[in-house]
Amino acid sequence: MLWIILVLLLFIVQIASIIIIEYRRSNKAIAWLIILFIFPLLGFLFYYFVAKEYSCYRTLRRKKNKHWEQLKAGLIARSKQRTKDMHETAFWRENNMHASLKNIPSVPITACNETTVYTEGKQAFEAMLESIAGAEHHIHIEFYIIRDDRIGTRFERLLIRKAQEGVKVRFLYDGFGSRRLGKAYLKRLQDAGVETGCFFPPLTTFFDKRLNYRNHRKIVVVDGKIGFFGGLNIGDEYMGKAPKFGYWRDTHFSLKGDAVLWIQYTFLIDWYLVKEQIITDSAYYPVQESQGREWVQIVKSGPDETILELIFSLIVSAKKRIYIETPYFVPDPGVLLALKTAVISGIDVRIIIPSVPDKKLVYYASLSYVKELLQAGVRFYCYQKGFIHAKVIISDDLACSGSSNMDMRSFCGQFELNAVFFDGKVVKRLVQDFYRDLSVSNEMLLSEFEKRSTMQKMKEVFARLLSPMF
């Protein structure tokens, strides 16, 4: 009898601990309480090792020395020097969203950029490999997933060749996303002189209670003059060679101009977190030669600097249209309310999601939000040509795209890199891509959606309750 009382007391203490720690994040608290009730005791151990609030960036701020501060201040000054004419432009005075983005001191808008948009893996990979082949000073590469397959081997061989030619090559990968990347692959790079680093090694982060965090960024910077980022990882499936998905639709970018400096800055901050090496040499931040006229704002986000506010602002500031493409749609309550409010206000709100899931739990959670948004008037479409992995938000004449999904993990638990595009040509291209994707998508009608089986509805309810965890 005594042991039953002790077990109950322990269970109550665990419940109380989760409620006290997560009281500011009620959705997350509910999700963990469900896990605790399904798996008593074990659920709390899982919570202890997985749910710890991330503090690495706080550590970085405490340790941040004058080198990083001076570097960032210098980059901000360079960016503002090239964008000083904005203050005289009616374009910025008339649009509240534009003006608010311009006034964010830590995320400056950059000028003189040239953007290339890629909608398929083959196009993007060939452009990356071509740029890497022409590198003269350095190559910085960072991906969430890197495969040791055909395209992964092409990157490996080229990086080895450039390192042997004397080009400085730094290579970062996420410990969880690239957990299948073999030691032999890394050893071949290291033997050739490539410096490698693992962001959050699984075993280390498990005991350090950071297992739930990922570096989801996809970055290539060549000589500090051209930068690539977007939704693609390195693997054959991103070229449409996975039988399960077939054609792979993604959105990736290359940039020339001042925005590259902030992609570089993001990479070198990540490098510092992994390797504790401070790299602030001016050679890595060269004067940009681009004569482009595009304005681009690079936005890096993570557990301590969420992108959620930006996404919310893009939705609530729209007056005519909100177009969203995302492989995972698990909005937080604020974004959900903003979408409902927008469509009730007469704004054209359309969302494209995959028809074939790659993660069933996340897919069922996504569907759980569809009905209430359909009832409000949001139009949903299921992409039919293959798997859509593009991550794009179009709000009137602004567009935001990069590595961030429309889900809680991207909002709060992953390191992401996005860009806001202000240029009409780039936004027009992304709108054209959106309509092209609509043409190969089936619209989800409320009358048909309500015919789902009881079993599927139950799966959706359960997935939604757990959605704050992923």
Side-chain angles (χ1 to χ4, degrees):
M1 188 67 177
L2 180 60
W3 68 270
I4 295 177
I5 295 174
L6 291 174
V7 169
L8 286 174
L9 285 174
L10 179 60
F11 189 59
I12 292 170
V13 168
Q14 292 174 350
I15 293 173
S17 298
I18 292 175
I19 292 173
I20 291 170
I21 295 172
E22 304 292 348
Y23 77 97
R24 293 181 179 176
R25 298 171 288 185
S26 58
N27 289 341
K28 188 175 179 181
I30 291 171
W32 279 110
L33 288 173
I34 291 171
I35 292 294
L36 184 60
F37 276 98
I38 295 174
F39 304 104
L41 303 180
L42 289 177
F44 189 79
L45 285 175
F46 188 50
Y47 171 80
Y48 178 77
F49 282 106
V50 172
K52 179 184 177 183
E53 185 177 356
Y54 186 76
S55 60
C56 186
Y57 262 71
R58 293 197 188 103
T59 302
L60 177 64
R61 292 190 188 108
R62 287 196 300 267
K63 292 182 176 179
K64 190 178 288 185
N65 52 57
K66 62 180 181 180
H67 299 288
W68 286 119
E69 294 290 355
Q70 290 173 353
L71 173 61
K72 187 172 184 179
L75 292 178
I76 291 173
R78 286 173 62 176
S79 296
K80 288 184 176 180
Q81 178 65 28
R82 303 257 275 186
T83 59
K84 59 184 180 181
D85 292 338
M86 288 181 185
H87 297 282
E88 308 301 327
T89 306
F91 174 74
W92 299 95
R93 294 197 300 268
E94 295 172 359
N95 190 302
N96 290 335
M97 184 64 192
H98 295 177
S100 63
L101 288 169
K102 177 173 67 69
N103 291 324
I104 299 175
S106 61
V107 189
I109 298 169
T110 62
C112 306
N113 296 291
E114 300 174 71
T115 306
T116 302
V117 183
Y118 305 99
T119 57
E120 295 181 348
K122 181 176 175 56
Q123 303 168 338
F125 289 136
E126 292 301 329
M128 284 185 242
L129 290 166
E130 182 180 353
S131 294
I132 291 171
E136 297 177 351
H137 183 264
H138 68 269
I139 300 163
H140 291 159
I141 185 166
E142 173 179 0
F143 282 89
Y144 175 61
I145 295 173
I146 300 173
R147 307 280 194 211
D148 188 0
D149 53 17
R150 290 185 180 180
I151 190 64
T153 299
R154 287 187 64 188
F155 273 88
E156 174 203 341
R157 290 175 178 172
L158 184 55
L159 292 175
I160 287 173
R161 192 187 89 197
K162 297 306 294 185
Q164 291 172 340
E165 290 175 2
V167 175
K168 190 68 175 177
V169 182
R170 296 182 175 92
F171 179 96
L172 272 179
Y173 61 97
D174 182 80
F176 185 85
S178 299
R179 61 192 180 279
R180 297 177 183 173
L181 186 63
K183 293 181 180 179
Y185 187 100
L186 297 170
K187 188 175 188 306
R188 290 192 295 269
L189 290 174
Q190 293 162 356
D191 288 346
V194 175
E195 290 188 54
T196 67
C198 179
F199 208 104
F200 295 154
L203 186 61
T204 303
T205 53
F206 176 77
F207 288 105
D208 198 29
K209 301 187 288 295
R210 291 183 294 177
L211 190 62
N212 203 36
Y213 298 104
R214 315 274 188 269
N215 190 319
H216 197 238
R217 293 168 181 154
K218 304 95 166 59
I219 293 173
V220 175
V221 179
V222 177
D223 292 339
K225 297 179 180 179
I226 182 168
F228 294 85
F229 70 99
L232 289 167
N233 292 295
I234 296 178
D236 287 348
E237 68 262 43
Y238 299 96
M239 298 180 70
K241 295 182 179 180
K244 178 181 178 181
F245 303 112
Y247 179 77
W248 190 280
R249 166 71 175 90
D250 222 316
T251 299
H252 214 78
F253 303 90
S254 69
L255 273 172
K256 294 179 181 178
D258 287 11
V260 179
L261 300 175
W262 292 99
I263 301 176
Q264 180 83 294
Y265 178 81
T266 302
F267 175 89
L268 290 176
I269 286 287
D270 288 348
W271 187 260
Y272 171 71
L273 288 174
V274 173
K275 307 290 285 187
E276 296 190 351
Q277 295 176 5
I278 300 173
I279 301 171
T280 57
D281 193 298
S282 60
Y284 292 95
Y285 298 92
V287 174
Q288 299 300 305
E289 301 170 356
S290 170
Q291 298 301 311
R293 301 182 61 83
E294 299 170 13
W295 289 333
V296 178
Q297 186 171 25
I298 298 297
V299 181
K300 70 183 185 72
S301 62
D304 282 5
E305 44 185 355
T306 178
I307 198 173
L308 183 58
E309 288 85 354
L310 170 62
I311 293 172
F312 180 83
S313 298
L314 287 168
I315 295 171
V316 299
S317 67
K319 293 181 173 59
K320 296 180 180 179
R321 66 185 178 190
I322 300 168
Y323 297 159
I324 297 172
E325 294 184 279
T326 178
Y328 316 116
F329 181 74
V330 186
D332 90 315
V335 170
L336 189 66
L337 180 59
L339 288 171
K340 288 180 181 179
T341 305
V343 74
I344 292 171
S345 303
I347 296 170
D348 181 15
V349 183
R350 309 190 196 193
I351 301 173
I352 300 177
I353 60 175
S355 60
V356 179
D358 67 333
K359 299 175 181 176
K360 289 188 176 181
L361 188 62
V362 182
Y363 182 71
Y364 286 129
S366 298
L367 293 180
S368 74
Y369 292 93
V370 170
K371 182 178 178 179
E372 58 186 294
L373 288 174
L374 284 175
Q375 289 173 329
V378 175
R379 301 177 70 180
F380 275 89
Y381 300 81
C382 286
Y383 187 77
Q384 300 295 316
K385 189 177 178 179
F387 185 75
I388 188 162
H389 195 247
K391 310 138 191 317
V392 180
I393 301 174
I394 298 166
S395 172
D396 291 343
D397 57 353
L398 290 177
C400 178
S401 185
S403 65
S404 179
N405 297 307
M406 184 73 75
D407 64 4
M408 297 305 297
R409 183 175 291 279
S410 282
F411 292 157
C412 305
Q414 292 185 157
F415 295 86
E416 306 283 4
L417 185 75
N418 280 41
V420 179
F421 298 98
F422 301 82
D423 183 74
K425 291 184 295 183
V426 178
V427 176
K428 183 179 179 180
R429 164 63 190 274
L430 293 174
V431 170
Q432 289 174 343
D433 292 342
F434 183 87
Y435 280 118
R436 190 178 299 113
D437 294 334
L438 277 184
S439 70
V440 290
S441 300
N442 292 337
E443 185 168 5
M444 302 172 70
L445 302 177
L446 180 60
S447 58
E448 293 296 321
F449 188 75
E450 288 181 330
K451 296 178 182 179
R452 300 176 335 279
S453 67
T454 302
M455 178 58 70
Q456 179 167 326
K457 292 177 181 178
M458 291 176 62
K459 291 178 180 177
E460 291 171 10
V461 170
F462 182 72
R464 180 160 175 168
L465 288 172
L466 297 182
S467 63
M469 296 171 56
F470 50 77

